[in-house]
Coordinates of all heavy atoms in Angstrom, one line a residue:
W65 N -11.6 28.0 6.4 CA -10.2 27.6 6.6 C -9.7 26.9 5.4 O -8.5 26.3 5.4 CB -10.0 26.8 7.8 CG -10.3 27.6 9.1 CD1 -11.4 27.5 9.9 CD2 -9.4 28.5 9.7 NE1 -11.2 28.4 11.0 CE2 -10.0 29.0 10.9 CE3 -8.1 29.0 9.4 CZ2 -9.4 29.9 11.8 CZ3 -7.5 29.9 10.3 CH2 -8.2 30.3 11.4
A66 N -10.5 26.7 4.3 CA -10.1 25.8 3.2 C -8.8 26.3 2.5 O -8.0 25.5 2.1 CB -11.2 25.8 2.2
H67 N -8.6 27.6 2.4 CA -7.4 28.2 1.7 C -6.1 28.1 2.6 O -5.0 28.5 2.2 CB -7.6 29.6 1.3 CG -7.9 30.5 2.4 ND1 -9.1 30.6 3.1 CD2 -7.1 31.5 3.0 CE1 -9.1 31.5 4.0 NE2 -7.9 32.0 4.0
W68 N -6.2 27.6 3.8 CA -5.1 27.4 4.7 C -4.5 26.0 4.6 O -3.8 25.6 5.6 CB -5.5 27.7 6.2 CG -5.8 29.2 6.5 CD1 -6.9 29.9 6.1 CD2 -4.9 30.1 7.2 NE1 -6.7 31.2 6.5 CE2 -5.5 31.3 7.2 CE3 -3.7 29.9 7.8 CZ2 -5.0 32.4 7.8 CZ3 -3.1 31.0 8.4 CH2 -3.8 32.3 8.4
Y69 N -4.7 25.3 3.5 CA -4.3 23.9 3.4 C -2.8 23.8 3.5 O -2.3 22.8 4.1 CB -4.8 23.3 2.1 CG -4.4 24.0 0.9 CD1 -3.2 23.5 0.2 CD2 -5.0 25.0 0.3 CE1 -2.8 24.0 -1.0 CE2 -4.6 25.6 -0.8 CZ -3.5 25.1 -1.5 OH -3.0 25.7 -2.6
M70 N -2.0 24.7 3.0 CA -0.6 24.6 3.0 C -0.1 24.7 4.5 O 0.9 24.0 4.9 CB 0.1 25.7 2.1 CG -0.1 25.4 0.7 SD 0.6 23.8 0.1 CE 2.3 24.1 0.5
T71 N -0.7 25.6 5.2 CA -0.4 25.8 6.6 C -0.7 24.5 7.4 O 0.0 24.1 8.3 CB -1.1 27.0 7.2 OG1 -0.8 28.2 6.5 CG2 -0.7 27.2 8.7
A72 N -1.9 23.9 7.1 CA -2.3 22.7 7.7 C -1.3 21.6 7.4 O -0.9 20.8 8.3 CB -3.7 22.3 7.3
I73 N -0.8 21.4 6.2 CA 0.2 20.4 5.8 C 1.5 20.6 6.6 O 2.1 19.7 7.1 CB 0.4 20.4 4.3 CG1 -0.9 20.0 3.6 CG2 1.6 19.5 4.0 CD1 -0.8 20.0 2.1
F74 N 1.9 21.9 6.6 CA 3.2 22.2 7.3 C 3.1 21.9 8.8 O 4.0 21.3 9.4 CB 3.5 23.7 7.1 CG 4.8 24.1 7.9 CD1 6.0 23.7 7.4 CD2 4.6 24.8 9.0 CE1 7.1 24.1 8.2 CE2 5.7 25.2 9.8 CZ 7.0 24.9 9.3
M75 N 2.0 22.3 9.4 CA 1.8 22.0 10.9 C 1.7 20.5 11.2 O 2.1 20.0 12.2 CB 0.6 22.8 11.4 CG 0.8 24.3 11.4 SD 2.3 24.8 12.3 CE 1.9 24.1 13.9
C76 N 1.0 19.8 10.2 CA 1.0 18.3 10.4 C 2.4 17.7 10.4 O 2.7 16.8 11.2 CB 0.1 17.7 9.3 SG -1.7 18.0 9.5
I77 N 3.2 18.2 9.5 CA 4.6 17.7 9.5 C 5.3 18.0 10.7 O 6.1 17.2 11.3 CB 5.3 18.3 8.2 CG1 4.7 17.8 6.9 CG2 6.8 17.9 8.2 CD1 5.2 18.4 5.7
V78 N 5.1 19.3 11.3 CA 5.7 19.7 12.5 C 5.3 18.8 13.7 O 6.1 18.3 14.5 CB 5.4 21.1 12.8 CG1 5.9 21.5 14.2 CG2 6.1 22.0 11.8
H79 N 4.0 18.5 13.7 CA 3.5 17.6 14.8 C 4.0 16.2 14.6 O 4.4 15.6 15.6 CB 1.9 17.6 14.7 CG 1.3 18.6 15.4 ND1 1.0 18.6 16.8 CD2 0.8 19.9 15.0 CE1 0.4 19.7 17.2 NE2 0.3 20.5 16.1
L80 N 4.1 15.7 13.4 CA 4.7 14.3 13.2 C 6.1 14.3 13.7 O 6.6 13.3 14.3 CB 4.6 13.9 11.7 CG 3.2 13.5 11.3 CD1 3.2 13.3 9.8 CD2 2.7 12.2 12.0
A81 N 6.9 15.3 13.3 CA 8.3 15.4 13.7 C 8.5 15.4 15.3 O 9.3 14.7 15.8 CB 9.0 16.6 13.1
C82 N 7.7 16.2 15.9 CA 7.8 16.4 17.4 C 7.3 15.1 18.1 O 8.0 14.6 19.0 CB 6.9 17.6 17.8 SG 7.5 19.2 17.3
W83 N 6.2 14.6 17.6 CA 5.7 13.3 18.3 C 6.6 12.1 18.0 O 6.7 11.2 18.8 CB 4.3 13.1 17.9 CG 3.3 14.0 18.4 CD1 2.6 15.0 17.7 CD2 2.9 14.2 19.8 NE1 1.8 15.7 18.6 CE2 1.9 15.3 19.8 CE3 3.2 13.6 21.0 CZ2 1.4 15.7 21.0 CZ3 2.7 14.0 22.2 CH2 1.7 15.1 22.2
S84 N 7.2 12.1 16.8 CA 8.1 11.0 16.5 C 9.4 11.1 17.3 O 9.9 10.0 17.8 CB 8.5 11.1 15.0 OG 7.3 10.9 14.2
F85 N 9.9 12.3 17.5 CA 11.0 12.4 18.4 C 10.7 12.0 19.8 O 11.5 11.3 20.5 CB 11.5 13.9 18.4 CG 12.7 14.2 19.3 CD1 13.9 13.8 19.0 CD2 12.4 14.8 20.5 CE1 15.0 14.0 19.8 CE2 13.5 15.0 21.4 CZ 14.8 14.7 21.0
L86 N 9.6 12.4 20.3 CA 9.2 12.0 21.7 C 9.0 10.5 21.8 O 9.4 9.9 22.8 CB 7.8 12.7 22.0 CG 7.3 12.4 23.4 CD1 8.2 12.9 24.5 CD2 5.9 13.1 23.6
M87 N 8.4 9.9 20.7 CA 8.3 8.5 20.8 C 9.6 7.7 20.7 O 9.8 6.7 21.4 CB 7.4 8.0 19.6 CG 6.9 6.6 19.7 SD 6.5 5.9 18.1 CE 8.1 5.8 17.3
S88 N 10.5 8.2 19.9 CA 11.8 7.6 19.8 C 12.6 7.6 21.1 O 13.2 6.6 21.5 CB 12.7 8.2 18.7 OG 12.9 9.6 19.0
V89 N 12.5 8.8 21.8 CA 13.2 8.9 23.1 C 12.5 8.0 24.1 O 13.2 7.3 24.9 CB 13.1 10.3 23.6 CG1 13.6 10.5 25.0 CG2 13.9 11.3 22.7
T90 N 11.2 7.9 24.1 CA 10.4 7.0 25.0 C 10.8 5.5 24.7 O 11.0 4.8 25.7 CB 8.9 7.2 24.8 OG1 8.6 8.6 25.1 CG2 8.2 6.4 25.8
V91 N 10.8 5.1 23.5 CA 11.2 3.8 23.1 C 12.6 3.4 23.5 O 12.9 2.3 24.0 CB 11.0 3.5 21.6 CG1 11.5 2.2 21.2 CG2 9.5 3.6 21.3
E92 N 13.5 4.4 23.3 CA 14.9 4.1 23.7 C 15.0 3.9 25.2 O 15.7 3.0 25.7 CB 15.8 5.3 23.3 CG 17.2 5.2 23.6 CD 18.0 6.4 23.2 OE1 17.5 7.3 22.5 OE2 19.2 6.4 23.5
N93 N 14.3 4.7 26.0 CA 14.4 4.6 27.5 C 13.7 3.3 27.9 O 14.1 2.6 28.8 CB 13.7 5.8 28.2 CG 14.5 7.0 28.0 OD1 15.8 7.0 27.9 ND2 13.9 8.2 27.9
L94 N 12.6 2.9 27.2 CA 11.8 1.7 27.5 C 12.7 0.5 27.2 O 12.7 -0.5 28.0 CB 10.5 1.7 26.7 CG 9.6 0.4 26.9 CD1 9.2 0.3 28.3 CD2 8.5 0.5 25.9
A95 N 13.4 0.5 26.1 CA 14.3 -0.6 25.7 C 15.4 -0.8 26.7 O 15.7 -1.9 27.1 CB 14.8 -0.4 24.3
E96 N 15.9 0.3 27.2 CA 17.0 0.2 28.2 C 16.4 -0.3 29.6 O 17.1 -1.1 30.3 CB 17.6 1.6 28.4 CG 18.8 1.6 29.4 CD 19.4 3.0 29.5 OE1 18.9 3.9 28.8 OE2 20.3 3.2 30.4
W97 N 15.2 0.1 29.9 CA 14.6 -0.3 31.1 C 14.2 -1.8 31.1 O 14.4 -2.6 32.1 CB 13.3 0.5 31.4 CG 12.6 0.1 32.7 CD1 13.1 0.2 33.9 CD2 11.3 -0.4 32.7 NE1 12.1 -0.3 34.8 CE2 11.0 -0.7 34.1 CE3 10.3 -0.7 31.8 CZ2 9.8 -1.2 34.5 CZ3 9.1 -1.2 32.2 CH2 8.8 -1.4 33.6
V98 N 13.7 -2.3 29.9 CA 13.3 -3.7 29.8 C 14.5 -4.6 29.6 O 14.5 -5.7 30.0 CB 12.3 -3.8 28.6 CG1 11.9 -5.3 28.4 CG2 11.0 -3.0 28.9
G99 N 15.5 -4.0 29.0 CA 16.7 -4.8 28.8 C 16.9 -5.4 27.4 O 17.5 -6.5 27.2
I100 N 16.3 -4.8 26.4 CA 16.4 -5.3 25.0 C 17.2 -4.3 24.2 O 17.4 -3.1 24.6 CB 15.0 -5.4 24.4 CG1 14.2 -4.1 24.3 CG2 14.2 -6.5 25.1 CD1 12.9 -4.2 23.6
S101 N 17.7 -4.7 23.1 CA 18.6 -3.9 22.3 C 17.8 -2.8 21.6 O 16.6 -3.0 21.3 CB 19.4 -4.7 21.3 OG 18.5 -5.3 20.3
Q102 N 18.4 -1.8 21.1 CA 17.7 -0.7 20.4 C 17.3 -1.2 19.0 O 16.3 -0.7 18.4 CB 18.6 0.5 20.2 CG 19.0 1.2 21.5 CD 19.8 2.4 21.3 OE1 20.1 2.8 20.2 NE2 20.2 3.1 22.4
T103 N 18.0 -2.2 18.5 CA 17.7 -2.8 17.2 C 16.3 -3.5 17.2 O 15.4 -3.2 16.4 CB 18.7 -3.8 16.7 OG1 20.0 -3.2 16.6 CG2 18.4 -4.4 15.3
V104 N 16.1 -4.3 18.2 CA 14.8 -5.0 18.4 C 13.7 -4.0 18.7 O 12.6 -4.1 18.2 CB 14.9 -6.1 19.5 CG1 13.6 -6.8 19.7 CG2 16.0 -7.2 19.1
A105 N 14.0 -3.0 19.5 CA 13.0 -2.0 19.9 C 12.6 -1.2 18.6 O 11.4 -0.9 18.4 CB 13.5 -1.1 20.9
G106 N 13.6 -1.0 17.8 CA 13.2 -0.2 16.5 C 12.5 -1.1 15.5 O 11.6 -0.6 14.8
L107 N 12.8 -2.4 15.5 CA 12.1 -3.3 14.6 C 10.6 -3.6 15.0 O 9.8 -4.0 14.2 CB 12.8 -4.6 14.5 CG 14.2 -4.6 13.7 CD1 14.9 -5.9 13.8 CD2 14.0 -4.2 12.2
T108 N 10.4 -3.5 16.3 CA 9.1 -3.8 16.8 C 8.2 -2.6 17.3 O 7.3 -2.2 16.6 CB 9.2 -4.8 18.0 OG1 10.1 -4.2 19.0 CG2 9.9 -6.1 17.5
I109 N 8.6 -2.1 18.4 CA 7.8 -1.0 19.0 C 7.8 0.3 18.1 O 6.7 0.8 17.8 CB 8.2 -0.7 20.4 CG1 8.2 -2.0 21.3 CG2 7.4 0.4 21.1 CD1 8.8 -1.8 22.6
S110 N 9.0 0.7 17.8 CA 9.1 2.0 17.1 C 8.5 1.8 15.7 O 7.8 2.8 15.2 CB 10.6 2.4 17.0 OG 10.7 3.6 16.3
A111 N 8.8 0.7 15.0 CA 8.3 0.5 13.6 C 6.7 0.5 13.6 O 6.1 1.1 12.7 CB 8.8 -0.8 13.1
A112 N 6.1 -0.2 14.6 CA 4.7 -0.2 14.6 C 4.1 1.2 15.0 O 3.1 1.6 14.4 CB 4.2 -1.2 15.7
G113 N 4.7 1.9 15.9 CA 4.2 3.2 16.3 C 4.2 4.2 15.2 O 3.3 5.0 14.9
T114 N 5.3 4.2 14.4 CA 5.5 5.2 13.3 C 4.7 4.8 12.1 O 4.5 5.7 11.2 CB 6.9 5.4 12.9 OG1 7.5 4.1 12.6 CG2 7.7 6.0 14.1
S115 N 4.2 3.6 12.0 CA 3.4 3.1 10.8 C 1.9 3.3 11.0 O 1.2 3.1 10.0 CB 3.7 1.6 10.6 OG 5.1 1.4 10.3
F116 N 1.4 3.7 12.1 CA 0.0 3.9 12.3 C -0.6 5.0 11.4 O -1.7 4.8 10.8 CB -0.4 4.2 13.7 CG -0.6 2.9 14.6 CD1 0.3 2.5 15.5 CD2 -1.7 2.1 14.3 CE1 0.1 1.4 16.3 CE2 -1.9 1.0 15.1 CZ -1.0 0.6 16.0

Side-chain angles (χ1 to χ4, degrees):
W65 293 100
H67 61 284
W68 288 76
Y69 61 94
M70 291 301 298
T71 304
I73 294 175
F74 175 77
M75 290 306 302
C76 287
I77 295 175
V78 171
H79 274 274
L80 284 174
C82 295
W83 290 111
S84 298
F85 176 77
L86 179 62
M87 190 204 69
S88 63
V89 174
T90 304
V91 170
E92 182 179 354
N93 293 330
L94 179 62
E96 183 178 357
W97 178 64
V98 175
I100 61 176
S101 67
Q102 294 184 4
T103 301
V104 175
L107 290 173
T108 55
I109 305 174
S110 180
T114 54
S115 297
F116 272 110

